[in-house]
Every structure is written in structure tokens, then in C-alpha cells.
């Protein structure tokens, strides 16, 4: 029981004095620090430490508020986030904080003083995730099964420590779920008229505005951006065009042409739950060239275009082809930067998009530390050609210092280096970007993308 008229803080001070006196009397001063440290964190007069996350379940682009309380005042603590990718690889981040005078902290308002990031970063435990030392080379975190969430375990630890993949002793913990698909979003496999993709429809009967979604030359079928677009009210078709088992072979070759992309765009327009005259296109990396090229094809009239770090044309070779090796730049580890091949001056004239044919709003997003594509130079060229055609009003530029090639939906970890391919020989590619500015770019760009879509597909 508490003594009448005494606060918990006063009682703490009295018990602390009593403990010190007892230790002195019995001659055990060497144990003083350890005893008081244990008592400090496990006090019987204070509830056990609590760590909360709100909301516990959220879409990937939503912030989570992480708070702790019932801790010793003005004390060092560490927060550690851990998750496993779908390939089973461990990803983790950690940050050092100090509790306030009431024994509480909040990532929304408090600053990290060390660890994977510093400063006030409410979502740093998510975008700061990286494989610990000793992990496989060139890992990149990508969601393949968008129908299941990422599960991230957040631990509260005593003191300022560096977990580094090893075992940890938790004072408290909370597990969060991060999803790309909102409840009610429908995922539909598309294998018709030679088209290979996945269509995502928002909840409800529609009709909806829509986006055709194209990624780069990493190949396969990336669904997570489309799933998130549908979660935000836009039907979206994620389109495979390279290195997919259901496409014409051989792999490592681009075996589809303009008619394939035009058919995909028309599939969206013809869908009964999509507004035919409100369809846009988004492309990243080589997908930028495909986006711009498709927008200039006869009979294709997109409502808007979003281009993220990519070229306005191409050479006679595809990224990663041996024929373009003269344009590759290697760092001291033998990692490859593909940036030079996408300079406008290195593009084949017949593969350069005629920008005067663009007739809809175009947003171009630049990571200024992009090591895979000459994004700034391409944006400059696009803007210059649109201006010459009297269409400068169509162009919006977003440019982010310190951001790299893969500007994705918010709070995804940056992949500065990634495994490009393993066969026939291992190639590790440089994508660029630094964690904190890249994370800020992704958050700001996504917010402005949604505003751009609202204006041009709904307005």
C-alpha cells in the first residue's frame, strides 16, 4: 500500500535511499549499481513497461504511432523492429531514445539519438529496415503475395544497444501488420488475348478511374503498387512484359511490342467497372519509356502519365545486355551502374519518344542520387521538348536530393544495391539513394501522386 500523502515518485526516492543504506550496512557496495539498476526497471510500485502501436493493422502508406510508458524517467532505451521477408531473410532496424521525466516516449515527437537513423522519424523503424551483417548479398524487400501483410515485431530494450541480428531481452513488445490490399479490394489474374498481368479493383461496384502499371527490366510481375492504388480507389492493372513464364520466350529478351501494351490499355478501357475516359499510366525505370511510348500511339489517349526515374527512349540494347557493356560503370566492388546507357545522347533516334505527341498531364519524379537511370537529364530533355511544342503546362517535375532509383510507396526500405541477376553470371546493380532522404522522397512523392491522380482521374 502507498503511504498516505506520498506520491509514487516520493515513494521511489525513499525506497532507493533505504536500499542504498542496507547495501552499505552489509558491505556489499560492489552490488549497488546492479541492484539499483534491476530495481529501477522492475519496480514493484510502477506497472510493467508498455509498448503500443496505433493502429496495429494499417495500409503500408499509413503512419503508425509507437509509444512507450511506465519506464524509469530520463533513461536510455532501444527500440528494435524485426521481420522476415517471404524468402525467409531477416530484416531489422533499431534506434536509441531517452524517456522523458514521466518515463514515457513517443516516436511521433521524440528524436532518435542513434542507431539505424537519427532525428524525429515516426516511421524510421520501418523504412530503416535492412538485413543484418552476414546476410545474403544484394537483398531487396519486395512483397510478392499482396494478399498477406508484412508482420513487423517491435521490441523495447533497456539501454542503448545494437541488436545486430542476435538474441534480445525484451522489456515490452508489440507486433504490427502492414498491408498493400485494403479489405474488399479484389485481385484478378489476367491471362487473356496474350496479356499477362493482375487487375486490382477497389471495393464497391464502380465504375472506377484506372491506372496501367509498368515496372522496369527486373522482369516478372510486381503487384504491390497496383494493390495499393486499388486500396486508394483506383483500379490498376500490373502488367508483365519481360521475364515471365507466361510470356513468349526466350527469357532475357523483350518479346512483346506496341500492340501488347495497347491491348493492355484497352482492356482497362473496356472493363465494365472502369471509366473508359479516365485511364492513366504509371511507369518506373524502363517502364517510363514504355509509358511515354504508349501514350503517343494512335488511338491511345491516357488521362495522365506518371514517370519515375526512367528514360524517354532506349538504345538498341536492353538494360543488362552485353551489347551495352561499354556504357557500364563499375565501383570498387564490381557492382554495376547502368546510368550512362540511359543518357538521351546514347539513345537510338528511332527509339526516342516524340514528346510533341504527348497530350495529357505528365508528372516526372526524380531521385537525384539515381545510379541506374539518368533521370535528371531525361526530365530536362522531356521538359525542353514539351516547351518547344507549346505544352510546358502539361509537365510537373518532382526532384529529391539524396533519393535513389526505386522510389516506391512510402516506408519501404531503400535498396541502394540490389542483385540484378544470378544467371548466367552474377550481376549486382547500383540503384543509389540514402535511407533518410530516400524515405522522405517516397512519402512526399506518394502524397503528390495521389493528389495528381485525384485532379486528373477524378476531377
Amino acid at each position: 500500500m502507498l503511504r498516505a500523502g506520498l506520491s509514487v515518485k516520493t515513494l521511489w526516492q525513499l525506497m532507493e535511499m533505504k536500499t542504498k543504506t542496507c547495501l552499505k550496512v552489509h558491505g556489499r557496495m560492489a552490488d549497488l549499481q546492479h541492484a539499483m539498476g534491476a530495481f529501477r526497471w522492475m519496480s514493484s510500485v510502477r506497472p510493467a513497461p508498455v509498448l503500443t502501436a496505433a493502429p496495429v493493422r494499417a495500409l503500408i502508406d499509413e503512419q503508425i504511432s509507437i509509444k512507450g510508458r511506465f519506464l524509469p524517467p530520463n533513461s536510455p532505451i532501444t527500440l528494435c523492429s524485426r521481420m522476415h521477408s517471404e524468402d525467409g531473410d531477416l530484416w531489422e532496424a533499431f534506434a536509441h531514445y531517452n524517456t522523458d521525466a514521466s518515463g514515457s516516449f513517443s516516436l511521433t515527437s521524440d528524436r532518435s539519438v542513434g542507431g539505424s537513423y537519427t532525428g524525429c522519424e515516426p516511421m524510421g523503424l520501418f523504412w530503416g529496415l535492412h538485413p543484418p551483417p552476414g546476410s545474403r548479398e544484394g537483398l531487396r524487400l519486395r512483397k510478392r503475395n499482396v494478399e498477406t501483410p508484412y508482420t513487423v515485431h517491435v521490441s523495447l530494450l533497456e539501454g542503448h544497444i545494437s541488436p545486430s541480428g542476435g538474441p534480445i531481452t525484451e522489456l515490452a513488445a508489440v507486433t504490427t501488420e502492414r498491408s498493400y490490399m485494403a479489405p474488399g479490394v479484389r485481385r484478378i489474374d489476367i491471362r487473356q488475348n496474350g496479356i499477362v498481368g493482375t487487375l486490382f479493383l477497389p471495393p464497391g461496384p464502380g465504375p472506377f478511374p484506372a491506372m496501367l502499371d509498368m515496372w522496369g527490366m527486373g522482369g516478372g510481375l510486381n503487384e504491390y503498387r497496383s494493390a495499393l492504388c486499388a486500396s486508394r480507389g483506383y483500379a490498376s492493372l500490373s502488367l508483365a512484359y519481360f521475364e515471365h513464364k507466361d510470356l513468349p520466350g526466350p527469357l532475357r529478351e523483350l518479346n512483346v511490342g506496341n500492340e501488347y501494351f495497347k491491348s493492355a490499355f484497352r482492356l482497362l478501357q473496356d472493363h465494365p467497372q472502369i471509366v473508359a475516359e479516365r485511364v492513366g499510366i504509371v511507369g518506373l525505370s524502363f517502364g517510363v519509356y514504355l509509358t511515354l511510348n504508349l501514350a503517343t500511339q494512335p488511338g491511345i489517349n491516357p488521362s495522365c502519365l506518371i514517370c519515375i526515374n526512367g528514360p524517354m527512349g532506349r538504345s538498341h540494347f536492353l538494360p543488362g545486355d552485353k551489347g551495352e557493356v561499354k556504357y557500364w560503370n563499375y565501383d570498387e566492388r564490381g557492382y554495376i551502374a547502368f546510368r550512362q546507357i540511359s543518357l538521351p545522347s546514347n539513345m537510338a533516334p528511332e527509339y526516342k519518344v516524340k514528346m510533341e505527341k504527348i497530350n495529357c498531364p505528365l508528372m516526372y519524379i526524380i531521385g537525384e542520387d539515381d545510379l541506374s537511370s539518368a533521370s535528371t537529364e531525361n526530365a530536362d530533355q522531356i521538359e525542353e521538348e514539351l516547351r518547344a511544342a507549346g505544352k510546358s503546362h502539361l509537365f510537373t517535375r518532382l526532384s529529391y536530393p539524396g533519393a535513389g532509383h526505386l522510389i516506391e510507396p512510402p516506408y519501404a526500405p531503400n535498396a541502394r544495391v540490389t542483385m540484378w541477376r544470378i544467371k548466367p553470371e552474377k550481376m549486382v546493380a547500383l540503384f543509389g539513394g540514402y535511407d533518410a532522404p530516400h524515405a522522405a522522397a517516397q512519402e512526399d512523392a506518394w502524397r503528390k501522386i495521389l493528389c495528381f491522380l485525384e485532379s486528373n482521374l477524378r476531377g
Side-chain angles (χ1 to χ4, degrees):
M1 295 180 58
L2 293 181
R3 189 181 303 173
L6 293 184
S7 67
V8 171
K9 181 178 180 182
T10 302
L11 184 58
W12 161 267
Q13 292 170 338
L14 290 172
M15 294 179 72
E16 184 176 28
M17 292 172 60
K18 185 176 180 180
T19 302
K20 288 180 179 179
T21 302
C22 290
L23 287 170
K24 287 179 181 179
V25 170
H26 289 87
R28 289 186 283 121
M29 289 301 294
D31 296 330
L32 175 61
Q33 185 175 5
H34 176 76
M36 291 309 301
F39 182 78
R40 181 178 176 82
W41 290 94
M42 305 301 293
S43 172
S44 61
V45 299
R46 182 179 58 247
V50 171
L51 184 65
T52 61
V56 169
R57 296 177 180 86
L59 286 174
I60 202 80
D61 62 351
E62 294 176 332
Q63 279 200 9
I64 290 180
S65 174
I66 296 177
K67 298 180 179 180
R69 54 197 178 115
F70 304 135
L71 293 157
N74 305 313
S75 297
I77 54 100
T78 296
L79 287 172
C80 176
S81 58
R82 285 182 169 177
M83 62 165 287
H84 285 86
S85 69
E86 290 165 320
D87 296 323
D89 295 293
L90 174 66
W91 290 70
E92 69 175 9
F94 69 96
H96 298 155
Y97 290 88
N98 294 302
T99 61
D100 62 18
S102 68
S104 301
F105 67 87
S106 170
L107 269 61
T108 303
S109 56
D110 294 335
R111 297 176 61 84
S112 165
V113 296
S116 301
Y117 61 91
T118 59
C120 185
E121 298 287 355
M123 295 298 289
L125 290 176
F126 299 91
W127 59 251
L129 289 164
H130 282 286
S135 301
R136 294 188 296 141
E137 185 180 28
L139 292 176
R140 173 184 168 192
L141 190 62
R142 283 185 289 183
K143 197 76 177 76
R144 292 187 174 88
N145 181 5
V146 297
E147 295 180 294
T148 62
Y150 280 136
T151 300
V152 183
H153 188 77
V154 182
S155 303
L156 172 61
L157 314 175
E158 178 183 352
H160 287 166
I161 62 174
S162 302
S164 299
I168 55 178
T169 301
E170 299 174 336
L171 296 173
V174 65
T175 299
T176 69
E177 293 184 355
R178 311 280 293 157
S179 301
Y180 284 95
M181 278 183 68
V185 170
R186 289 157 288 169
R187 178 188 176 279
I188 304 165
D189 288 320
I190 301 296
R191 303 292 188 276
Q192 64 185 70
N193 300 325
I195 298 169
V196 178
T198 306
L199 176 63
F200 292 87
L201 294 174
F208 309 103
M211 293 295 291
L212 177 62
D213 185 0
M214 295 183 288
W215 290 73
M217 292 299 290
L221 184 57
N222 294 308
E223 299 182 354
Y224 50 93
R225 186 168 60 202
S226 283
L228 189 58
C229 281
S231 299
R232 293 304 178 198
Y234 302 93
S236 187
L237 174 62
S238 179
L239 184 66
Y241 63 87
F242 182 73
E243 282 218 336
H244 191 285
K245 61 182 179 62
D246 294 334
L247 290 170
L251 295 175
R252 297 307 312 168
E253 291 186 16
L254 183 59
N255 300 301
V256 296
N258 288 338
E259 288 305 315
Y260 177 81
F261 300 102
K262 290 164 69 174
S263 295
F265 187 85
R266 288 172 179 147
L267 181 149
L268 285 173
Q269 289 185 310
D270 294 341
H271 195 283
Q273 290 181 273
I274 290 174
V275 183
E277 65 273 14
R278 295 187 180 183
V279 179
I281 313 173
V282 57
L284 180 145
S285 193
F286 192 76
V288 168
Y289 164 67
L290 298 175
T291 294
L292 296 172
N293 185 61
L294 177 58
T296 63
Q297 297 300 309
I300 302 298
N301 298 296
S303 297
C304 63
L305 308 175
I306 299 172
C307 298
I308 307 170
N309 282 333
M312 61 179 294
R314 52 167 285 199
S315 72
H316 292 288
F317 305 100
L318 298 176
D321 284 352
K322 284 294 186 181
E324 65 167 30
V325 67
K326 66 179 181 178
Y327 297 111
W328 294 356
N329 293 314
Y330 295 84
D331 70 3
E332 66 280 0
R333 298 163 294 181
Y335 296 171
I336 304 170
F338 296 127
R339 186 181 184 281
Q340 190 177 353
I341 187 64
S342 64
L343 286 168
S345 58
N346 290 329
M347 294 173 184
E350 64 269 31
Y351 289 128
K352 202 169 181 180
V353 176
K354 294 177 172 56
M355 296 306 300
E356 66 271 16
K357 294 185 177 181
I358 297 293
N359 293 308
C360 65
L362 189 166
M363 172 181 280
Y364 194 105
I365 300 171
I366 302 166
E368 294 181 15
D369 191 50
D370 185 353
L371 301 179
S372 187
S373 181
S375 302
T376 298
E377 291 85 350
N378 277 273
D380 290 344
Q381 187 73 27
I382 290 170
E383 186 171 22
E384 180 182 328
E385 294 188 14
L386 286 174
R387 185 184 301 111
K391 298 180 178 181
S392 59
H393 61 286
L394 297 176
F395 188 75
T396 299
R397 178 196 297 245
L398 303 179
S399 191
Y400 298 101
H405 184 62
L406 292 172
I407 296 180
E408 300 186 294
Y411 315 127
N414 179 40
R416 184 171 179 83
V417 173
T418 190
M419 186 66 66
W420 179 255
R421 69 183 183 211
I422 299 175
K423 297 178 180 180
E425 74 278 357
K426 183 179 79 171
M427 293 175 62
V428 181
L430 295 166
F431 281 176
Y434 298 93
D435 286 0
H438 190 89
Q442 290 187 148
E443 185 174 5
D444 186 74
W446 183 248
R447 178 176 58 84
K448 290 175 178 174
I449 284 171
L450 293 180
C451 290
F452 185 76
L453 295 180
E454 179 72 22
S455 175
N456 291 291
L457 293 185
R458 293 189 192 276

